[in-house]
């Protein structure tokens, strides 16, 4: 543990519902902030190039975050998954449909064209969005509290579909706490851990193939985890 | 509408006429086919149909094609067990069929009904035909000359067209057997009135699906038909472990949640 690593509790007080799964890890949000802080805003960077080593022997960009790491066969951060405050679950929909009355606005470069609403650009959608409206969401982690505060200071929305207003954060609270609850709390798992990390005297009831560290979408980070 | 509503509906004359009409149709089907079977998926339609047929004709065998972990919903084994307990002594035949996963492994992941490559279209065609081929072969081997299916007109335009063209009883030349769809004109309300009034077990996914129990379908769990109408989003919501297993192998599915 680095000298300035401390156990902390991060709370997001919510203004709108969150579109995410029930686990919703914080280190995924922090990694996005960390990489953007290093590389700059999305508009000025090259897709796919963010974590590549720089030429002429310069150090790799992005890199590890100011969070304590558990070193194992598969390393992961000391950062819990979401603990939900009082909440209700709901469903909303987003729709996309070709607008027939506006068909004459499409340019086919002077030739005949066909509009296919079952594929490609004009494909129609009606997608349910499962959201959770919670008063607050809380995580526990161990790391550099000042850097975590700095990274969260510019996070205004969390989860999916933030362009539609989902996941709006009213305020963040980052407090130092006495105990490290980032992985275990009173014998209960606070995040997914690799199956082989589970102590022999603990019985797992729920397993899932999920990312062990961010980016969680990256297949290379997927493995069988114990979550309960 | 919920349970009480369906129970009230089950007492109406309209519903009673539907049920008596079904029994007349089933009886008349035996004039054409001497040894038919019931084709079961343990979805809501086939469940209601099988129950109504077995009340009067418990000797008709039930045939279920189990397509494995990736096609069958997690709650289906419980439904099967409880349904068979309700109809003790009925002849139950379980066949093993191919899962859609096998076709993904062969040609890669694709959206059903929106296949862009020739290989994908071929795989989808073979997958669509696999169930019928399996049942047809089994029927031929066992001297079955007819089947009851739970297909309804209100399920889709294609099914409606098929049943309007052929009628609710027809001879399928390719399979060389008679087919009876005794619920061709039934709607979702009739189905649920049957399930609730007879206290039948049903799959939990009908309580969970956002489109409501009357429109919900129990197709292949890892199927991608209607992905842009939330099928995969539902899978992620209701069965996250299975969704992430799917997404672990085919990350493209994340584009549809």
């Amino acid at each position: 543990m680095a000298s300035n690593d401390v156990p902390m509790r991060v709370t997001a007080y919510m203004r709108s519902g969150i579109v995410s799964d029930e686990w919703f890890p914080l280190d995924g949000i922090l990694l996005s902030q960390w990489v953007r802080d290093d590389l700059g805003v999305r508009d000025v960077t090259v897709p796919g190039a963010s974590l590549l080593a720089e030429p002429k022997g310069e150090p790799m960009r992005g890199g590890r975050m100011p969070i304590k790491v558990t070193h194992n066969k598969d390393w992961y951060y000391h950062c819990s998954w979401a603990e939900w405050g009082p909440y209700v679950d709901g469903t909303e929909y987003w729709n996309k449909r070709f607008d027939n009355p506006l068909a004459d606005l499409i340019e086919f470069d002077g030739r005949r064209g066909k509009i296919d609403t079952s594929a490609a650009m004009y494909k129609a959608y009606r997608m349910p969005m499962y959201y959770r409206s919670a008063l607050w969401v809380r995580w526990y982690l161990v790391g550099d509290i000042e850097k975590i505060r700095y990274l969260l200071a510019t996070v205004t929305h969390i989860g999916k579909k933030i362009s539609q207003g989902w996941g709006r954060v009213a305020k963040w609270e980052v407090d130092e706490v006495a105990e490290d609850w980032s992985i275990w709390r009173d014998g209960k798992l606070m995040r997914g851990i690799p199956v082989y990390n589970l102590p022999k005297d603990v019985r797992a009831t729920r397993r899932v193939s999920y990312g062990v560290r961010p980016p969680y979408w990256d297949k290379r980070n997927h493995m069988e985890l114990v979550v309960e | 509408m919920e349970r009480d509503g369906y129970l009230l509906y089950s007492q109406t004359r309209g519903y009673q006429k539907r049920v008596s009409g079904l029994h007349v149709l089933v009886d008349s089907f035996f004039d054409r086919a001497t040894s038919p079977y019931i084709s079961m998926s343990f979805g809501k339609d086939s469940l209601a149909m099988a129950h109504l047929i077995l009340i009067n004709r418990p000797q008709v065998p039930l045939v279920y094609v189990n397509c494995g972990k990736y096609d069958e919903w997690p709650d289906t084994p419980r439904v099967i067990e409880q349904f068979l307990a309700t109809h003790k002594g009925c002849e139950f035949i379980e066949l093993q069929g191919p899962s859609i996963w096998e076709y993904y492994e062969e040609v890669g992941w694709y959206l059903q009904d929106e296949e862009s490559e020739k290989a994908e279209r071929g795989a989808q065609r073979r997958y669509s035909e696999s169930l019928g081929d399996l049942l047809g072969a089994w029927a031929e081997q066992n001297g079955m000359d007819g089947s009851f299916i739970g297909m309804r007109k209100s399920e889709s335009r294609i099914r409606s067209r098929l049943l309007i063209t052929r009628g609710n009883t027809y001879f399928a030349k390719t399979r060389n057997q008679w087919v009876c769809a005794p619920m061709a004109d039934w709607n979702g309300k009739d189905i649920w009135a049957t399930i609730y009034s007879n206290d039948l077990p049903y799959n939990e996914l009908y309580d969970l699906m956002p489109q409501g129990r009357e429109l919900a379908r129990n197709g292949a769990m890892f199927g991608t038909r209607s992905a842009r109408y939330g099928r995969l989003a539902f899978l992620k919501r209701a069965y996250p472990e299975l969704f992430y297993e799917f997404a672990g192998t085919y990350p493209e599915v994340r584009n549809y949640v």
Side-chain angles (χ1 to χ4, degrees), chain A residues 21 23 89 93 117-118 123-128 130 160 206-210 219 222, chain B residues 111 114 210 227-230 233-234 236-237 240-241 244-245 248-249 251 254 256-257:
Chain A
D21 59 27
W23 298 306
D89 287 334
Y93 291 84
T117 56
S118 65
K123 193 166 165 173
Y125 286 85
R126 177 168 168 76
M127 293 288 283
Y130 299 99
K160 287 177 67 127
R206 200 172 173 201
R207 293 178 180 204
V208 63
S209 170
Y210 202 80
K219 207 173 158 179
H222 288 187
Chain B
L111 275 181
E114 294 177 32
R228 58 200 167 100
Y229 298 104
F234 169 74
K236 183 182 176 189
R237 171 68 170 191
E241 289 92 337
Y244 284 114
E245 190 180 338
T249 308
R254 290 174 185 273
Y256 291 88
V257 297

Side-chain angles (χ1 to χ4, degrees), chain B residues 148-165:
Chain B
F148 291 103
I149 58 170
M151 198 186 282
R152 293 186 295 116
K153 286 177 190 167
S154 59
E155 284 181 284
S156 71
R157 223 178 276 176
I158 293 173
R159 291 188 173 194
S160 171
R161 208 178 302 153
L162 179 93
L163 291 167
I164 288 169
T165 315

Side-chain angles (χ1 to χ4, degrees), chain A residues 1-22:
Chain A
M1 188 151 96
S3 58
N4 43 0
D5 281 356
V6 291
M8 68 189 96
R9 180 180 61 206
V10 173
T11 311
Y13 292 92
M14 302 308 300
R15 194 165 277 189
S16 63
I18 301 172
V19 180
S20 81
D21 59 27
E22 63 189 291

Side-chain angles (χ1 to χ4, degrees), chain A residues 14-20 24 84 88 90 130-135 137 157-162 164-169:
Chain A
M14 302 308 300
R15 194 165 277 189
S16 63
I18 301 172
V19 180
S20 81
F24 198 28
W84 299 88
V88 288
Y130 299 99
Y131 65 89
R132 179 166 284 187
S133 274
L135 290 181
V137 196
H157 293 73
I158 53 177
K160 287 177 67 127
K161 299 294 169 197
I162 59 175
Q164 296 173 17
W166 294 98
R168 188 170 173 197
V169 181

Side-chain angles (χ1 to χ4, degrees), chain B residues 196-216:
Chain B
Y196 282 124
S197 62
N198 292 285
D199 206 15
L200 298 179
Y202 64 87
N203 204 305
E204 66 182 5
L205 71 95
Y206 293 110
D207 291 334
L208 302 172
M209 279 189 164
Q211 61 267 53
R213 63 183 68 252
E214 288 185 21
L215 295 175

